[in-house]
Amino acid sequence: MALAKVDVTRTLAMPADHAWRILRAFCEPWHPMVAGMRAEQGGTVRAFTTSGDPTLYRERLTWLSDSDRALRYTHLEGIAGAARYEARLSVSGTGASCEVRWQAEIEAEPARAREIASGTETIFQAGLDALPDARVPQTGAPPQPSPRGQLSESTISAPVRLSLLSTPRILGPLCLFLHGIGGQKENWAGQLAVLGTQATCVALDLRGYGGSAPGPAQSTLRDYFADILAVKQAFGDPPLILCGLSYGAWIATDFALQHPGSLQALVLAGGCTGMSEASEAERRAFLQSREVPLAEGMTPADFAPAVVDVIAGPNASEDLRRTLTASMAAIPARSYRDALRCFTSPPGRFDFRKLQVPVLMMTGAHDRLAPPEEIRSVANRIWQDAPTPDVRFEEISGAGHVCNLENPQQVNRVLGEFLNRWTQ
C-alpha cells in the first residue's frame, strides 16, 4: 500500500463565517459536480452521485467544530481500490476574505493511490472555484423554551433515594444531566426548559446532593452507574444520552466506557478525564488541598466565594455569581468530601478505544479548570482512538467553567443540534 496526500488551499473573497456556513452543511449538495445527494444516519453520512457517473459514493462525518471552523470525513464506499480515504476542511481568516484548506490522505496500491489523489485534487479545486457563488443553506430556528409545561421535581427510591428535575415524558431518547462537584440539578434548568420538546430531559442530584440521599458508604463510580441505570429504568428504559459537566462529565465518560450498550450518545462539558490521568501524587495533593478547610471545620458555604472566583468567567454577572455561590454553599460537607474521594480514586486511565458512541465536547473559552486547548486535545484523542470516531468540539464563547449557566444560548443551540440526530 502507498500513501498519497492532497492539499489544496485557496484564498477567497468572502468572510470566513460565510464560507463555513456552506462547508459545514455536510449533506447539502453545494459542490458543482454533485448530481444528487441524500442524508443518512441523522445527517452524519452523505450518499451522492456525480454528474455523468452512476456510482453511489458514501462519506461519513467524523469531526465537526464550529468554533474551530473545521470538519473531517471518511470514505465509506464508491472509490474502487481505496483502503483508506480521510479528508479535512478548515476555514480561517477575518474580515472580507478567508483561507479555505481542503486536505486528503489516501491509502491504496501505488498506481491507484496516485490516480485517486489526482481525481481528488480536481474535485477539491472545482469545489473551491464554485464556493463564492454557492448558496448558504437555511438553518433551522434555535430551540425555544418548551411550551409543554413546567419542570417538575420527583424522586425514585432505588438504589438510594434520588431527586430528579424533569420535563414531561415524550417518545425518543432520555437525556440525563449530571452536575459538577459544586453543583446541583437546578443548574441544568435552562437546558431542560429549552430542550424538553426534543427529548425527555432529566437532571439528577448526585448522591448526597440536594434531595438525593447519601449512600451507605463511600460513593464509587459503580454507585453512580447504578443510579444512572435506575433513572433510565424509571423512565421506561429508553435510549440514553448522558450529559455531564466537570465531575459529571468524568462520571459520564467512565459510564460510556463501562456500559457501552446502555448509551446512545455522550455530551461532556467542562471536563472529561478528571483525575483518571493524574499521577497518584497529583491525586493525593489534590485531595489533601481540598480537605484542609473541611478538616478545619469549614463547610462549602465558607469557601464558596473563593471557588466562584476560580470557576466564573470574566463576563459573569453578579446574579450568576450569586447563583454559583448558592449552589456551592448548599452542599453538605459530608457530600463534598464523599465526591472528592471518589474523584481522586479513579479505576485507571481512560481507554478511548472502547468508546462506541458519538461525543459532543464543550468548554468555556475562559475555563481555567478545563481550558479549551486541553479539551480540544482530548477530543482529538477520542477522534484518533475511537473505533468509529464521531466527535464534535465547541468552545463556548465568553464562558467560564459552568458554561451552560454562563452562555446558555450557545450551549442550547449546540446541544439542540446534536440531539436532532435522534429526535427529528
Side-chain angles (χ1 to χ4, degrees):
M1 289 289 175
L3 175 65
K5 297 184 178 182
V6 178
D7 194 337
V8 177
T9 301
R10 186 77 57 82
T11 299
L12 301 175
M14 59 193 307
D17 284 344
H18 184 101
W20 175 244
R21 286 198 299 272
I22 298 169
L23 294 172
R24 79 175 302 279
F26 188 66
C27 294
E28 289 287 332
W30 62 268
H31 196 289
M33 297 176 69
V34 171
M37 181 179 289
R38 69 172 183 266
E40 300 176 352
Q41 298 182 27
T44 60
V45 172
R46 60 187 179 194
F48 62 95
T49 56
T50 58
S51 300
D53 181 1
T55 304
L56 180 68
Y57 298 89
R58 296 176 72 244
E59 296 170 336
R60 181 173 60 82
L61 186 68
T62 62
W63 172 277
L64 178 67
S65 175
D66 282 334
S67 50
D68 290 351
R69 297 197 200 102
L71 64 80
R72 306 169 192 169
Y73 61 91
T74 188
H75 163 261
L76 298 178
E77 68 172 277
I79 304 178
R84 183 177 72 89
Y85 184 107
E86 305 283 347
R88 303 184 180 207
L89 261 169
S90 60
V91 183
S92 60
T94 59
S97 64
C98 68
E99 182 177 276
V100 180
R101 188 177 187 185
W102 205 344
Q103 303 166 275
E105 288 188 354
I106 302 115
E107 287 186 13
E109 294 297 330
R112 183 57 179 149
R114 292 191 296 271
E115 185 178 18
I116 295 170
S118 177
T120 294
E121 184 169 5
T122 298
I123 292 168
F124 288 3
Q125 295 281 10
L128 296 184
D129 286 342
L131 192 62
D133 298 320
R135 178 181 62 85
V136 176
Q138 295 295 314
T139 57
Q144 299 298 316
S146 170
R148 304 181 62 252
Q150 297 295 318
L151 305 183
S152 59
E153 291 197 46
S154 60
T155 60
I156 60 175
S157 58
V160 297
R161 186 188 74 249
L162 299 172
S163 180
L164 312 175
L165 182 68
S166 63
T167 60
R169 298 190 193 188
I170 60 176
L171 293 176
L174 169 68
C175 191
L176 178 58
F177 293 82
L178 308 177
H179 60 75
I181 207 165
Q184 57 183 320
K185 64 180 184 297
E186 285 79 11
N187 293 162
W188 294 109
Q191 282 63 60
L192 271 61
V194 171
L195 302 170
T197 55
Q198 293 180 257
T200 302
C201 293
V202 179
L204 168 67
D205 271 332
L206 297 175
R207 292 183 173 214
Y209 284 73
S212 291
Q218 168 62 48
S219 296
T220 67
L221 280 168
R222 287 186 179 181
D223 294 326
Y224 290 131
F225 297 166
D227 296 342
I228 290 167
L229 293 171
V231 174
K232 185 175 186 285
Q233 188 63 40
F235 281 80
D237 203 29
L240 176 64
I241 297 173
L242 268 185
C243 180
L245 173 79
S246 193
Y247 184 49
W250 176 70
I251 295 169
T253 304
D254 223 316
F255 182 92
L257 296 172
Q258 300 299 324
H259 296 271
S262 298
L263 201 61
Q264 188 168 59
L266 184 63
V267 181
L268 307 173
C272 173
T273 55
M275 287 282 106
S276 292
E277 302 192 349
S279 68
E280 184 177 349
E282 288 171 329
R283 294 196 299 269
R284 186 166 55 249
F286 179 93
L287 178 61
Q288 289 175 348
S289 68
R290 282 153 179 81
E291 285 195 322
V292 165
L294 299 176
E296 294 174 348
M298 298 176 69
T299 69
D302 296 314
F303 48 81
V307 172
V308 171
D309 286 342
V310 173
I311 65 175
N315 304 318
S317 67
E318 286 305 312
D319 282 347
L320 178 57
R321 291 178 68 90
R322 281 191 289 270
T323 296
L324 293 171
T325 301
S327 182
M328 182 80 186
I331 305 167
R334 171 187 173 183
S335 300
Y336 186 63
R337 180 184 286 109
D338 177 72
L340 286 172
R341 291 180 175 177
C342 179
F343 189 48
T344 52
S345 303
R349 183 180 174 90
F350 287 159
D351 184 356
F352 293 130
R353 293 173 298 179
K354 298 179 181 179
L355 198 54
Q356 301 178 20
V357 296
V359 181
L360 166 62
M361 302 188 75
M362 300 179 284
T363 198
H366 304 290
D367 192 333
R368 286 182 278 180
L369 301 183
E373 58 269 23
E374 175 187 320
I375 303 305
R376 183 184 290 106
S377 175
V378 175
N380 272 291
R381 276 181 51 202
I382 293 173
W383 182 84
Q384 292 169 353
D385 292 351
T388 307
D390 185 343
V391 182
R392 181 169 179 178
F393 165 79
E394 298 298 347
E395 182 177 310
I396 305 303
S397 60
H401 188 56
V402 192
C403 58
N404 64 299
L405 286 176
E406 292 203 44
N407 191 343
Q409 294 83 6
Q410 185 179 355
V411 168
N412 290 343
R413 177 178 54 78
V414 171
L415 184 50
E417 185 177 78
F418 188 68
L419 291 179
N420 273 342
R421 293 170 54 174
W422 300 279
T423 61
Q424 285 185 326

